[in-house]
């Protein structure tokens, strides 16, 4: 079995120690960090994400695999020049103002992180302005919003509206989720995407990030 | 004999309680409410202000358990007693605060309106086995800021039964209390004859938010009963084991008992909850899972160990339609709850993880509740002994259809469900159109709504409530309320 295939294998099993050791070995053997990252770590998480989406494996296995991926990342990070530390995209996420339900949002955050995105979590009860400040400050490509109450859904519309007023709607994509919201509601308020669970959220965020990157290059 | 289910032995109950006390005293609870924190500090709890964390003591916990009432009653809008939460008495109440309503006949969901709410309140009034209303969903045609109080207003206008409800903000409590004062007349009368129960939810793990802890204190101060709704999710924000989840539920609920009793010793409360296992495949919180129902029954045993009346979200389903899953999960939950003597059983009508109400399901569940009431009456001799005379009569007459004994006991001994439950033979069923459960349930909904007679609450009180509600709507920028005529 090739070195990368080995890493891929241990990552899926959630074996952090082996992933860390094998990543080190791969580098010693002259495989480029970029290649290890793309073909073993990221690819491993893609497979894990797909298996989870297909209900072949359960949440704990995904989280263990993500942990293993980060163990490999820790080995690679010092080898990248500072400005090129690769991340797949930066996402600001939060539960909207008036709403304290953060379990679903947290889960989506964990899974996005596991998939290699950089996640800035603003917590719960987040006012619309705070989302906008955060994307500007963090140069994020996506805003993820969660609402579990009928009464707090409208806040999502306000965030989309503010983004438009700031002229940021093309550079920053919005995705929403939570039990009372739907695809139709997303369309109604002009949000770019809706997801019903974390595996689906990862898939949608990937698409949104790719869209932004295509237009504006890696770092908007 | 009243059949009683037990899932925990005494030793395990005591161990769970002592572990929960340990958690409260050594790890503490987070309370994001300055007023509540200082109240706890004043009563001897250690507070770590930077983390809003408070460490209880066994003395504080014991005192609270001591003052918490071991029973209390509810009264309808006319002041008649409807509930006696004591011993193993059970009462059903519809699942509350759904996001959607299931439309007949196509089974699509939509956001409910005032009209839906009025139909629902009228229907609950007619359902014999559902003892109270709940504010079952949120009419989407009013401003979100009044969505909690407006539900209560409609309930008090259209149905006489007491109401299980809750506030979504600190401010909303005032109008929700004023509406009750309009019904009862005075503070004293409201305290003497409680009309509502407010849900107050800690956040798992071991935390009280500002709004719900304030709602808890405000209710206690006015002697308005509360149900403490802790929702540990096993395997996610609680241990995966049922015992571990029970330790967490006990700690969270006890912390609520403490806050309530410090605010007003003797304030009525239900030892309740809405825990669920977390389905690690679908990222959902199944209310119809057998393990969820086991946790409910077990914490009710713990509540009873403290001598407190109990509550649970247990007779509901995660199905999306009124299908076999909806029936089996609701019936299983209702049965287990009744056997456990859970005093207030929440859930009828509810589908889809507490997020969808169905009028047709409510009518079906009303039948489940009827059967369950029959179950807990158990099996008792009724002029059965000595047996010989009855059997002599049977052998002589070849049947007992017109026997005095049959006529005396027929109605009490059997629960005879309405037409939602099919007990016809196949030929008759076919001859009558082969009507499906959903259609039969719908027919029953329409029949009961046709029979509706307005609430006997005096007109003057209804008008006063309308004035209060209109003022509240105007305060939030609405011109008026959607049209209704009672
Ligand atoms: C747990 C819970 C609570 C906990 C929350 C704890 C916490 N830390 O989050 C507590 C006890 C605090 C709570 C409080 C209240 N709750 Co609550 N709660 C729930 C419950 C049972 C489960 C929610 C949950 O965690 N589900 C599990 C997670 C994993 O699923 P999820 O949140 O749907 O998230 C998934 C997807 O939606 C999606 N997703 C979610 N967010 C995002 C974001 C993005 C960007 C993306 C892409 C995807 C995505 O992916 C997630 C993962 O699969 C729901 C019922 C329900 N079925 O939703 C009621 C529910 C939402 N609550 C309700 C109510 C009424 C309340 C209270 C008002 C009760 C009260 N009177 O105090 C308070 C409100 C407090 C407040 N201001 O927010 C109602 C809402 C009613 C309505 N019409 O709006 C519900 C529907 C229950 C009911 N019928 O009563 N609640």
């Amino acid at each position: 079995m090739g070195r990368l295939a080995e890493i891929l294998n241990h990552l899926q099993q959630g074996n952090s120690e082996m992933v860390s050791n094998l990543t080190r070995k791969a580098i010693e053997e002259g495989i480029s960090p970029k290649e290890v990252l793309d073909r073993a770590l990221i690819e491993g998480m893609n497979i894990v994400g797909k298996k989870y989406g297909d209900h072949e494996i359960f949440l704990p296995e995904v989280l263990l695999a993500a942990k293993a991926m980060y163990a490999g990342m820790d080995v690679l990070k010092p080898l990248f020049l500072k400005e090129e530390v690769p991340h797949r995209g930066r996402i600001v996420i939060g539960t909207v103002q008036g709403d304290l339900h953060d379990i679903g949002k947290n889960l989506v955050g964990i899974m996005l992180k596991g998939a290699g995105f950089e996640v800035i979590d603003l917590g719960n009860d987040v006012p619309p302005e705070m989302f906008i400040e955060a994307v500007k400050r963090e140069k994020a490509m996506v805003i993820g919003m969660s609402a579990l109450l009928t009464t707090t859904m409208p806040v999502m519309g306000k965030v989309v509206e503010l983004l438009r007023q700031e002229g940021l709607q093309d550079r920053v994509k919005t995705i929403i989720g939570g039990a009372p919201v739907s695809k139709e509601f997303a369309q109604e308020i002009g949000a770019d995407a809706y997801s019903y669970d974390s595996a689906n959220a990862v898939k949608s965020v990937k698409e949104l990030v790719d869209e932004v990157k295509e237009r504006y290059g890696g770092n908007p | 004999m009243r059949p009683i289910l037990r899932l925990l032995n005494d030793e395990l109950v005591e161990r769970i309680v002592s572990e929960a006390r340990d958690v409260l005293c050594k790890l503490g609870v987070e309370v994001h409410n300055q007023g509540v924190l200082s109240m706890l500090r004043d009563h001897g709890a250690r507070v770590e202000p930077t983390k809003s964390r408070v460490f209880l003591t066994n003395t504080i916990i014991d005192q609270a358990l001591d003052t918490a009432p071991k029973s209390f009653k509810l009264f309808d809008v006319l002041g008649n007693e409807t509930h006696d939460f004591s011993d193993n008495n059970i009462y059903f109440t519809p699942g509350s605060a759904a996001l959607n309503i299931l439309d007949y006949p196509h089974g699509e969901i939509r956001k409910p309106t005032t009209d839906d709410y009025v139909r629902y309140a009228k229907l609950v009034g007619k359902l014999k086995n559902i003892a109270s209303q709940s504010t079952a969903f949120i009419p989407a045609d009013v401003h979100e800021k009044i969505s909690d109080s407006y539900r209560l207003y409609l309930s008090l206008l259209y149905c006489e039964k007491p109401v299980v409800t809750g506030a979504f903000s600190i401010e909303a409590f005032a109008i929700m209390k004023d509406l009750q004062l309009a019904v009862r007349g005075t503070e004293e009368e409201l305290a003497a004859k409680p009309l509502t129960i407010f849900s107050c939810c800690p956040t798992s793990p071991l935390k009280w938010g500002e709004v719900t802890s304030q709602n808890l204190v405000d209710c206690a101060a006015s002697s308005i009963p509360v149900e403490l709704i802790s929702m540990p999710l096993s395997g996610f924000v609680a241990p995966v084991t049922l015992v571990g989840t029970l330790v967490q539920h006990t700690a969270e609920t006890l912390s609520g008992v403490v806050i309530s009793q410090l605010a007003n010793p003797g304030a009525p409360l239900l030892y309740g909850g809405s825990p669920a296992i977390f389905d690690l495949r679908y990222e959902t919180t199944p209310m119809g899972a057998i393990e969820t129902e086991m946790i409910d029954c077990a914490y009710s045993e713990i509540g009873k160990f403290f001598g407190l009346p109990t509550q649970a979200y247990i007779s509901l389903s995660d199905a999306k339609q009124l299908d076999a899953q909806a029936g089996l999960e609701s019936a299983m939950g209702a049965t287990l709850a009744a056997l456990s003597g859970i005093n207030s059983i929440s859930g009828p009508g509810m589908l889809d993880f507490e997020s969808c109400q169905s009028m047709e399901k409510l009518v079906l569940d009303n039948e489940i509740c009827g059967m369950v009431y029959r179950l807990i009456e158990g099996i008792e001799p009724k002029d059965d002994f000595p047996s010989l005379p009855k059997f002599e009569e049977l052998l002589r007459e070849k049947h007992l259809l017109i026997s005095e004994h049959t006529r005396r006991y027929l109605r009490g001994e059997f629960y005879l469900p309405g037409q939602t439950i099919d007990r016809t033979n196949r030929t008759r069923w076919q001859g009558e159109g082969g009507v499906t459960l959903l259609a039969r349930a719908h027919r029953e909904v329409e029949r009961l709504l046709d029979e509706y007679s307005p609430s006997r609450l005096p007109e003057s009180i209804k008008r006063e409530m309308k004035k209060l509600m209109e003022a509240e709507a105007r305060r939030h920028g609405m011109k008026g309320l959607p049209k209704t005529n009672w």
Side-chain angles (χ1 to χ4, degrees):
Chain A
M1 200 190 300
R3 191 60 80 205
L4 295 180
E6 239 181 319
I7 298 178
L8 207 61
N9 206 356
H10 283 286
L11 183 141
Q12 288 180 58
Q13 285 163 29
N15 191 333
S16 295
E17 208 177 307
M18 285 303 282
V19 169
S20 171
N21 289 342
L22 292 169
T23 303
R24 211 165 284 125
K25 266 203 191 126
I27 298 297
E28 280 162 19
E29 289 159 6
I31 308 178
S32 83
K34 180 93 177 67
E35 203 169 337
V36 179
L37 182 73
D38 287 345
R39 290 186 42 209
L41 302 186
I42 300 267
E43 179 56 19
M45 283 315 289
N46 281 341
I47 297 172
V48 166
K50 172 140 194 340
K51 280 192 178 165
Y52 180 61
D54 295 343
H55 301 298
E56 273 178 53
I57 56 172
F58 299 165
L59 201 52
E61 283 123 15
V62 182
L63 300 185
L64 277 177
K67 219 171 155 191
M69 177 201 67
Y70 276 99
M73 282 284 269
D74 284 345
V75 176
L76 297 184
K77 255 196 197 136
L79 308 177
F80 286 103
L81 289 174
K82 207 170 173 206
E83 59 276 21
E84 26 169 77
V85 176
H87 65 78
R88 295 173 83 176
R90 198 172 283 153
I91 291 121
V92 164
I93 193 169
T95 300
V96 298
Q97 190 164 39
D99 208 319
L100 301 180
H101 295 88
D102 61 2
I103 292 173
K105 180 268 297 170
N106 290 348
L107 191 53
V108 170
I110 292 169
M111 292 291 279
L112 285 171
K113 233 182 251 169
F117 292 98
E118 200 179 315
V119 178
I120 320 271
D121 189 342
L122 303 179
N124 57 31
D125 197 7
V126 181
E129 301 74 29
M130 208 199 256
F131 279 104
I132 308 298
E133 280 160 30
V135 283
K136 285 195 201 154
R137 188 179 62 236
E138 307 286 349
K139 299 196 169 43
M141 298 178 186
V142 178
I143 297 180
M145 290 174 275
S146 183
L148 267 285
L149 296 170
T150 329
T151 51
T152 56
M153 292 163 61
V155 182
M156 296 174 151
K158 282 190 199 144
V159 175
V160 175
E161 185 50 43
L162 274 182
L163 210 54
R164 213 172 273 141
Q165 281 170 21
E166 300 268 344
L168 287 170
Q169 71 274 24
D170 291 332
R171 282 174 179 272
V172 182
K173 297 286 166 188
T174 47
I175 178 166
I176 64 170
V181 307
S182 61
K183 204 172 168 176
E184 290 72 37
F185 180 71
Q187 275 161 0
E188 205 177 293
I189 63 166
D192 297 300
Y194 154 81
S195 281
Y196 55 87
D197 71 9
S198 63
N200 185 258
V202 170
K203 195 165 150 265
S204 306
V205 167
K206 260 182 211 161
E207 288 165 9
L208 293 178
V209 166
D210 285 348
E211 227 177 281
V212 177
K213 279 186 177 167
E214 208 163 283
R215 264 207 179 173
Y216 296 98
N219 286 316
Chain B
M1 183 195 84
R2 164 77 187 265
I4 286 290
L5 171 75
R6 284 209 62 178
L7 296 174
L8 307 174
N9 62 30
D10 294 346
E11 203 181 327
L12 186 52
V13 170
E14 279 166 31
R15 184 65 196 263
I16 290 171
V17 170
S18 93
E19 298 284 329
R21 284 171 177 265
D22 240 24
V23 169
L24 288 174
C25 299
K26 294 187 181 142
L27 296 181
V29 270
E30 258 179 64
V31 180
H32 294 267
N33 184 316
Q34 284 313 319
V36 177
L37 274 182
S38 8
M39 179 180 79
L40 287 160
R41 190 190 296 110
D42 292 348
H43 286 84
R46 186 162 63 81
V47 172
E48 214 175 83
T50 46
K51 297 202 179 101
S52 306
R53 188 170 284 281
V54 48
F55 301 87
L56 300 184
T57 65
N58 275 316
T59 319
I60 299 177
I61 298 170
D62 287 334
Q63 256 164 17
L65 285 170
D66 210 40
T67 59
K70 307 303 173 254
S71 69
F72 67 91
K73 293 177 174 174
L74 286 185
F75 301 80
D76 67 14
V77 294
L78 304 173
N80 304 312
E81 179 182 325
T82 54
H83 292 62
D84 175 9
F85 291 121
S86 64
D87 301 324
N88 287 320
N89 296 345
I90 61 162
Y91 302 91
F92 288 94
T93 189
S96 71
L99 304 163
N100 301 309
I101 187 161
L102 192 69
D103 243 347
Y104 181 85
H106 300 298
E108 268 140 30
I109 56 166
R110 61 178 169 78
K111 299 275 182 258
T113 62
T114 298
D115 279 347
D116 295 313
Y117 199 93
V118 170
R119 275 166 60 85
Y120 155 82
K122 289 177 172 177
L123 179 65
V124 173
K126 301 296 297 179
L127 297 175
K128 292 206 170 61
N129 304 310
I130 308 281
S132 60
Q133 318 179 56
S134 75
T135 40
F137 47 79
I138 293 171
D141 49 356
V142 296
H143 192 286
E144 63 255 23
K145 284 272 177 355
I146 65 164
S147 58
D148 44 8
S149 49
Y150 183 62
R151 306 178 297 174
L152 179 61
Y153 161 74
L154 293 177
S155 271
L156 293 175
L157 269 186
Y158 285 95
C159 179
E160 294 172 1
K161 294 180 180 178
V163 195
V164 176
T165 186
F168 295 164
S169 67
I170 292 177
E171 304 75 51
F173 177 77
I175 170 77
M176 293 178 82
K177 182 179 167 189
D178 286 346
L179 290 168
Q180 299 184 62
L181 285 174
V183 174
R184 286 285 187 259
T186 62
E187 296 258 356
E188 293 70 35
E189 193 59 14
L190 179 60
K193 292 191 165 184
L195 175 61
T196 59
I197 300 176
F198 275 57
S199 300
C200 295
C201 319
T203 306
S204 281
L206 298 162
K207 190 156 84 181
W208 282 91
E210 188 185 11
V211 176
T212 63
S213 57
Q214 192 60 45
N215 283 163
L216 179 54
V217 166
D218 291 344
C219 286
S222 300
S223 292
I224 292 173
V226 298
E227 48 183 31
L228 297 165
I229 309 291
S230 143
M231 321 179 181
L233 305 178
S234 316
F236 191 1
V237 288
V240 72
T241 52
L242 306 195
V243 168
T245 303
L246 284 166
V247 171
Q248 184 170 329
H249 176 276
T250 307
E252 289 174 354
T253 310
L254 280 180
S255 69
V257 175
V258 166
I259 295 173
S260 145
Q261 296 305 301
L262 288 186
N264 180 14
L269 56 83
L270 291 172
Y271 190 92
S274 181
I277 58 164
F278 191 73
D279 192 310
L280 297 163
R281 300 164 303 167
Y282 300 105
E283 306 175 357
T284 52
T285 55
M287 305 307 298
I290 187 69
E291 299 83 359
T292 295
E293 296 173 351
M294 289 165 77
I295 298 167
D296 290 327
C297 295
Y299 80 63
S300 172
E301 281 177 46
I302 294 170
K304 286 176 188 295
F305 168 82
F306 295 130
L308 301 174
T310 61
Q311 179 278 351
Y313 268 87
I314 178 168
S315 54
L316 62 173
S317 171
D318 305 316
K320 312 299 174 283
Q321 298 289 335
L322 188 51
D323 57 15
Q325 183 182 340
L328 83 90
E329 289 178 340
S330 306
M332 197 163 60
T335 308
L336 292 172
L339 290 175
S340 302
I342 295 176
N343 302 107
S344 182
I345 305 173
S346 303
M350 197 63 106
L351 293 163
D352 193 4
F353 313 97
E354 293 182 19
S355 73
C356 184
Q357 260 288 348
S358 153
M359 307 264 278
E360 285 71 27
K361 179 168 189 288
L362 198 52
V363 161
L364 172 67
D365 289 353
N366 177 58
E367 298 297 358
I368 295 176
C369 302
M371 294 181 200
V372 160
Y373 273 125
R374 175 63 191 90
L375 170 69
I376 60 166
E377 273 173 24
I379 300 180
E380 302 287 349
K382 283 159 193 154
D383 289 337
D384 284 291
F385 308 135
S387 305
L388 282 194
K390 242 136 283 157
F391 286 97
E392 280 162 4
E393 186 186 348
L394 175 55
L395 295 175
R396 188 176 61 239
E397 303 290 331
K398 310 268 186 305
H399 64 78
L400 290 175
L401 287 170
I402 54 170
S403 149
E404 153 71 19
H405 186 251
T406 304
R407 280 178 288 139
R408 176 162 331 145
Y409 290 111
L410 171 66
R411 287 196 164 67
E413 196 68 353
F414 301 166
Y415 170 70
L416 295 178
Q419 304 209 343
T420 308
I421 301 296
D422 173 31
R423 288 190 182 168
T424 56
N425 68 37
R426 173 168 284 276
T427 311
R428 178 166 178 176
W429 176 73
Q430 252 161 357
E432 288 174 357
V435 184
T436 61
L437 171 77
L438 181 62
R440 290 197 304 274
H442 182 69
R443 218 156 51 186
E444 188 67 2
V445 168
E446 294 301 331
R447 188 183 72 78
L448 291 169
L449 287 176
D450 279 347
E451 275 183 6
Y452 173 77
S453 52
S455 160
R456 289 165 290 173
L457 192 67
E459 285 299 310
S460 56
I461 295 181
K462 291 181 183 170
R463 277 196 300 274
E464 192 185 334
M465 287 201 294
K466 184 156 188 255
K467 240 189 257 160
L468 286 169
M469 199 65 233
E470 279 172 345
E472 183 72 3
R474 274 196 302 275
R475 222 161 61 78
H476 293 288
M478 284 181 77
K479 285 209 186 65
L481 296 171
K483 271 222 161 48
T484 47
N485 39 20
W486 57 76

